[in-house]
Amino acid sequence: MRRGHLLCIALFVAVFPHLHSQTTQGIIVGTVTNYATGLPVGSAGIICLRADTAATQATGSDSHGNYAVAGLSPAGYFVTVSAPGYQTQEARGIDLPVSGRIELNFRLRPLYDLWEAGRFQSWVAPQSEQSRSEEH
């Protein structure tokens, strides 16, 4: 009896660390870069908002633009990224599964770049006075 008891204890001690390390928590990782240059955006703020409870968890990007938000419960999330001098971006409807890992990379557009780096020099609404005067 004593030998069987010791065997059970030894088995429990060997298996317990593996049982303890299992989790349902997930992680959202990614990089934040400049849309125009592709360079990393350091010090960007990343906020994960849980859709059903409105609980938030925040982090920041490092000097290489990398970020990780760990310890997230399985649920739906909104992820918002903002940085000084850049337009804020939000990813909606992110479903994080049990023990899931989701990679979300963000390409932030500089604040001054409202029309994709001058891609549109001017815009004229249809039927406007300006478009009529150009036709004549």
Side-chain angles (χ1 to χ4, degrees), residues 123-136:
W123 183 80
V124 178
Q127 306 301 319
S128 70
E129 291 299 319
Q130 185 175 358
S131 65
R132 283 190 210 138
S133 64
E134 290 176 1
E135 292 173 3
H136 297 293

Side-chain angles (χ1 to χ4, degrees), residues 2-132:
R2 184 173 171 106
R3 184 175 175 164
H5 189 264
L6 290 175
L7 183 60
C8 281
I9 290 174
L11 184 60
F12 179 75
V13 169
V15 173
F16 180 74
H18 300 291
L19 294 176
H20 188 294
S21 64
Q22 294 178 357
T23 180
T24 61
Q25 303 299 297
I27 186 169
I28 297 177
V29 299
T31 58
V32 183
T33 56
N34 181 309
Y35 180 85
T37 65
L39 295 173
V41 176
S43 302
I46 296 93
I47 299 174
C48 292
L49 173 87
R50 186 171 165 168
D52 59 350
T53 64
T56 61
Q57 193 165 338
T59 192
S61 62
D62 65 14
S63 61
H64 301 286
N66 299 315
Y67 74 91
V69 184
L72 297 171
S73 296
Y77 288 90
F78 298 101
V79 180
T80 304
V81 177
S82 60
Y86 291 91
Q87 299 172 33
T88 299
Q89 281 191 3
E90 184 176 64
R92 297 173 174 255
I94 306 302
D95 289 324
L96 183 64
V98 173
S99 300
R101 179 186 184 278
I102 294 178
E103 183 172 341
L104 285 176
N105 298 315
F106 291 90
R107 295 173 54 203
L108 298 184
R109 189 178 305 279
L111 281 176
Y112 65 81
D113 190 5
L114 297 177
W115 294 101
E116 298 181 14
R119 187 169 167 190
F120 301 103
Q121 296 299 323
S122 63
W123 183 80
V124 178
Q127 306 301 319
S128 70
E129 291 299 319
Q130 185 175 358
S131 65
R132 283 190 210 138

